[in-house]
Amino acid sequence: MFTEVIQPRFSETDALGHINNTVVAVWFEACRTPIFQIFTPELDLKRWPLIVASIAVDFKAQLHYGSEVEVRSWISRIGNSSFEVTQQAWQHGHCCAEGKAALVHFDYQLQKAKALSPALKAALEQHTL
Amino acid sequence: MFTEVIQPRFSETDALGHINNTVVAVWFEACRTPIFQIFTPELDLKRWPLIVASIAVDFKAQLHYGSEVEVRSWISRIGNSSFEVTQQAWQHGHCCAEGKAALVHFDYQLQKAKALSPALKAALEQHTL
Amino acid sequence: MFTEVIQPRFSETDALGHINNTVVAVWFEACRTPIFQIFTPELDLKRWPLIVASIAVDFKAQLHYGSEVEVRSWISRIGNSSFEVTQQAWQHGHCCAEGKAALVHFDYQLQKAKALSPALKAALEQHTL
Amino acid sequence: MFTEVIQPRFSETDALGHINNTVVAVWFEACRTPIFQIFTPELDLKRWPLIVASIAVDFKAQLHYGSEVEVRSWISRIGNSSFEVTQQAWQHGHCCAEGKAALVHFDYQLQKAKALSPALKAALEQHTL
């Protein structure tokens, strides 16, 4: 499991006074950086190896500006060329949002999915719950 | 069905050269404005009547800067106090992303869900597919 | 002068109930698209010809969700390799924000500024106030 | 001087492969949180005491995803009811962007500026360069 700390930003609030729901998807992507580094340790944008197939977020409680948020991320499914990341945003000891992202190992040159090698699968498996 | 046109913004691209996946969630929320107006025609932020319970987006094709995107939105489920919006982002004649948002009729004062009145249900029903 | 219409998005509000100040810089960049097209009519991201040297925005009145915003953009200075765009955001008949962006004609390959050709200068001059 | 560390987010890059210019304004606002706390230690959004009068950013070098950014912030001018914050974004030992924000001590109820008390001025003065 990866754990990252986010400081909510004033600009991430909305008129309801809490963090806008779309921001959680941004935080979750930001906190997938250590997972990206399994595929490209130097985060090489010119040979990016992943594409997002789907995202989903359930909102359980309102998130607020002014207190840090802990984002927990782990691999929850490993397929042939794709895998799933589950993520939670915790604030004040509560899990306020939980999401899943399906990522595909992808060759942007050929514009098609690429099988996950045994080495990649093993590396991902180290970060299951 | 509601149809809105989005002009993708340069700042909405990412290093892969297409629209970042988190932006689609932002567009979809933006295009729910006519649905918000069923509940608050004047979009009164001080008595906002809805909360987001969940969002999900499937990415089917890459979206690009430089061509307009048409977002289609309709009501796909009506429950007791909640309902679901399905939305699609079309570019160049292709459906590039499809998402669902579950919205709850909500009283922020009491911090609890509120039943949808028959009038609200009827109004939502007019925007099913 | 270029005129673009922006529909403020719910996610662009902040906890103060109006549009967050950082969003105006995003709108202004979005509304420079027709100016980008003077340099690259097809908006070719692989050979992008401009870089931003500076931006500045003065906030004159609060901008709100729920009413459209008209952004007016024009060329306010033409230099040797750079030029300045002035932009205003109007809502309800008021100029609520005014900004300037200094853009440099730039060769990303060589990582250096490029002189504006007489043809480009003439094209920019057509969009001064 | 206040120092905050930002982890650039994948979604903050743009098609040019570096951090989009509008993001720096977002980071700078995020890093004004400790300055906001001089006015409202508990960051009380219901009685927010400041409004932004202007922002400006000079871009000196491209900022990249994959390495942390240090944002340095200090008070560079103290007026009667307003003050100026100067901020710099450093990456890999280089100052890549510098900005200024003019903030006004503001009463949202009365919709007008409020003089800075001697205590507030003294508190701000502690964070000049």
Side-chain angles (χ1 to χ4, degrees), chain A residues 48-63:
Chain A
W48 197 253
L50 295 167
I51 200 166
V52 180
S54 68
I55 57 168
V57 185
D58 287 330
F59 302 95
K60 298 162 186 290
Q62 292 163 47
L63 286 151

Side-chain angles (χ1 to χ4, degrees), chain C residues 54-57, chain D residues 28 54-59 85 87 98-102:
Chain C
S54 68
I55 57 168
V57 184
Chain D
F28 282 172
S54 67
I55 57 168
V57 184
D58 286 331
F59 302 96
V85 184
Q87 296 179 284
E98 179 170 322
K100 288 182 191 306

